[in-house]
Amino acid sequence: MRNILILFLFAVIYSSCSIKHDTDHIIKIDVDSCLTNNRVSIYDIFDKIELIQLDDSLLTSNTVYSGATNITTDGSNFYLLDCKSLTVNVYSQDGKSLYKVNNVGRGPGEYTMAAQIYYNNRLKLIEILNPIGKVLRYSCDSLKFVSELNFTGGPFATHYISQIDEYYYLYSHSDEEQLYMLNESSDITTPLGYNSPTHLRHYMAASSGVFKLYDKPCIFRPYDGKVFTINTESKSLNPLLDWDMGKYGCELKDIPKYDDARKYEDFIINYSQNHIAAFCSISGTSEQIFATLIFKGDIYTLVYNIIDNTYQLFDKTSEGMRFLPELFYENVMYKFVDCTSLTSFINKDILDDNSQKIFDQINQEDGCGIIKYTLK
């Protein structure tokens, strides 16, 4: 599992918010209890687990797929962005290969870089982020070019873009000003005062950007997972919630001031033996918060139920499955897997007969697929 952890640490650039107001809500996590009674079933979180095999999937497996920024869905099809060739591979909900589009170039609707693909539910369009200041919009049925949004005054390089209601949120690992907002009808970006000293930006990179929680746009800081809401009227950040991990919490004073991001790799692995060294991602649904964090030299998942204030913290479920939240759409979570990661994320014995056959086919054909988790 160290190899998976190293992938998270490869980008080791930390983002921290300079706001120092009191937090609205503190969630206390009894880490010792979770470690002692670590018997979390995948069915404590989801009603149903299914596996979908992707046709013609060799091109999208292994090195051409790098994470949640490479996959999206509009509820009808899956859209996978090949991070090497920048081709978009389109599949039906049952995994059939429909078509592929490569828009690499410098003309209208074309790009020379593509950092992220996502579905704009408000405009009902597929959008691709060119990290140096452009969003390109395409139809869902054929990926026909529709329009583009050029934005000015934002980060030099945008690593994540989130679209919530009529606003876009641009997040950068490396810029001193790390977070901007942008109205979909404007090309002017507004900074939101989310920044940190240089050495802290080297500590840990968030693997996700702005997300929706309690029906509000939110951002988290990686070293302790503190969550802030974004006030679109005042264009400011306000504390929403904090995590109380007791003796396992990460203390800012413990983080050394290195001038090279690579120096933090060993520190994080060692520090995480006795502390939750960082939060890698946080996402939310109407009822649950999902977070991935670094603990015990590994990647743990934290699931917090907003309705009844219960939680689970685990590295593997009782079925022996790792669980890393990826793409949420309505009441379903999707995760891309290939033949090299399949057995880490799926226990074949929990699948129905059809999904078990797909499991075997993916292994036999060196293929890949998508795990479909239906939320309770």
Side-chain angles (χ1 to χ4, degrees):
M1 192 59 190
R2 180 183 172 95
N3 289 338
I4 295 179
L5 178 57
I6 293 302
L7 292 177
F8 274 96
L9 300 184
F10 224 176
V12 285
I13 303 171
Y14 167 84
S15 87
S16 173
C17 182
S18 59
I19 295 177
K20 298 182 180 179
H21 305 304
D22 291 334
T23 301
D24 288 345
H25 181 54
I26 297 177
I27 300 175
K28 183 176 178 59
I29 305 295
D30 187 340
V31 177
D32 283 322
S33 177
C34 291
L35 295 177
T36 302
N37 305 302
N38 193 12
R39 296 292 297 172
V40 180
S41 170
I42 197 71
Y43 293 110
D44 292 335
I45 308 168
F46 299 101
D47 269 338
K48 188 176 182 181
I49 315 295
E50 301 168 85
L51 186 58
I52 303 165
Q53 184 178 15
L54 300 182
D55 287 349
D56 188 27
S57 58
L58 288 177
L59 291 177
T60 56
S61 64
N62 299 321
T63 58
V64 299
Y65 180 81
S66 62
T69 56
N70 289 76
I71 182 173
T72 194
T73 183
D74 61 354
S76 298
N77 297 326
F78 296 111
Y79 304 83
L80 271 71
L81 175 65
D82 181 326
C83 64
K84 280 193 171 180
S85 70
L86 305 185
T87 297
V88 179
N89 302 267
V90 184
Y91 301 89
S92 65
Q93 280 286 308
D94 59 1
K96 296 290 189 298
S97 179
L98 300 178
Y99 56 92
K100 301 174 184 180
V101 176
N102 186 298
N103 286 320
V104 175
R106 300 186 182 277
E110 297 178 338
Y111 45 80
T112 56
M113 292 185 287
Q116 184 179 343
I117 187 170
Y118 57 95
Y119 175 58
N120 186 321
N121 192 48
R122 180 180 172 87
L123 300 179
K124 308 302 181 186
L125 296 172
I126 298 297
E127 299 187 331
I128 291 178
L129 169 67
N130 181 326
I132 57 173
K134 184 184 294 185
V135 171
L136 298 106
R137 296 166 173 161
Y138 305 90
S139 65
C140 294
D141 56 353
S142 61
L143 290 184
K144 180 181 178 181
F145 176 60
V146 175
S147 64
E148 65 181 44
L149 174 63
N150 291 280
F151 48 88
T152 58
F156 177 76
T158 300
H159 296 100
Y160 298 114
I161 188 168
S162 305
Q163 177 270 323
I164 299 175
D165 300 324
E166 70 268 35
Y167 294 100
Y168 291 92
Y169 300 93
L170 316 175
Y171 177 81
S172 173
H173 295 321
S174 52
D175 282 35
E176 183 175 350
E177 181 64 52
Q178 296 175 271
L179 184 64
Y180 294 77
M181 64 181 290
L182 169 71
N183 190 293
E184 67 183 13
S185 61
S186 170
D187 62 354
I188 305 300
T189 58
T190 302
L192 293 170
Y194 187 84
N195 46 60
S196 65
T198 302
H199 77 278
L200 291 181
R201 292 202 301 274
H202 290 328
Y203 179 64
M204 171 56 62
S207 60
S208 61
V210 172
F211 59 99
K212 199 169 187 178
L213 186 62
Y214 299 112
D215 208 34
K216 301 175 181 178
C218 297
I219 190 75
F220 75 98
R221 65 183 184 192
Y223 91 89
D224 62 355
K226 187 169 184 174
V227 176
F228 300 85
T229 61
I230 300 172
N231 187 317
T232 56
E233 293 185 0
S234 63
K235 298 178 176 57
S236 62
L237 304 181
N238 301 302
L240 176 65
L241 63 85
D242 207 348
W243 307 95
D244 178 3
M245 300 292 183
K247 65 183 180 181
Y248 296 100
C250 178
E251 297 288 342
L252 194 58
K253 62 180 177 59
D254 295 339
I255 300 174
K257 295 183 178 181
Y258 294 147
D259 58 1
D260 186 342
R262 291 170 295 184
K263 294 180 180 179
Y264 283 111
E265 182 180 310
D266 288 336
F267 169 80
I268 289 174
I269 292 174
N270 293 330
Y271 186 66
S272 72
Q273 300 304 319
N274 298 303
H275 298 84
I276 293 171
F279 282 67
C280 303
S281 69
I282 297 182
S283 54
T285 67
S286 60
E287 297 186 2
Q288 292 174 302
I289 300 173
F290 294 85
T292 56
L293 41 88
I294 299 176
F295 186 43
K296 301 290 183 184
D298 210 335
I299 300 172
Y300 274 63
T301 300
L302 172 64
V303 181
Y304 176 76
N305 190 299
I306 297 170
I307 306 302
D308 59 16
N309 296 316
T310 58
Y311 55 85
Q312 295 98 11
L313 176 65
F314 57 95
D315 60 341
K316 291 182 180 180
T317 68
S318 58
E319 297 87 1
M321 297 161 51
R322 296 199 176 273
F323 172 70
L324 299 178
E326 194 157 285
L327 170 67
F328 288 90
Y329 182 81
E330 295 183 344
N331 198 46
V332 177
M333 194 202 85
Y334 300 98
K335 177 166 183 58
F336 176 92
V337 288
D338 63 18
C339 58
T340 65
S341 60
L342 182 63
T343 56
S344 294
F345 293 100
I346 281 286
N347 181 332
K348 178 182 173 181
D349 294 338
I350 73 164
L351 299 173
D352 61 26
D353 290 344
N354 182 59
S355 288
Q356 286 193 6
K357 292 178 182 177
I358 292 173
F359 182 99
D360 290 336
Q361 288 171 353
I362 291 175
N363 271 331
Q364 293 166 5
E365 299 172 10
D366 291 337
C368 58
I370 292 175
I371 307 172
K372 179 180 179 181
Y373 305 82
T374 302
L375 288 158
K376 287 184 173 292

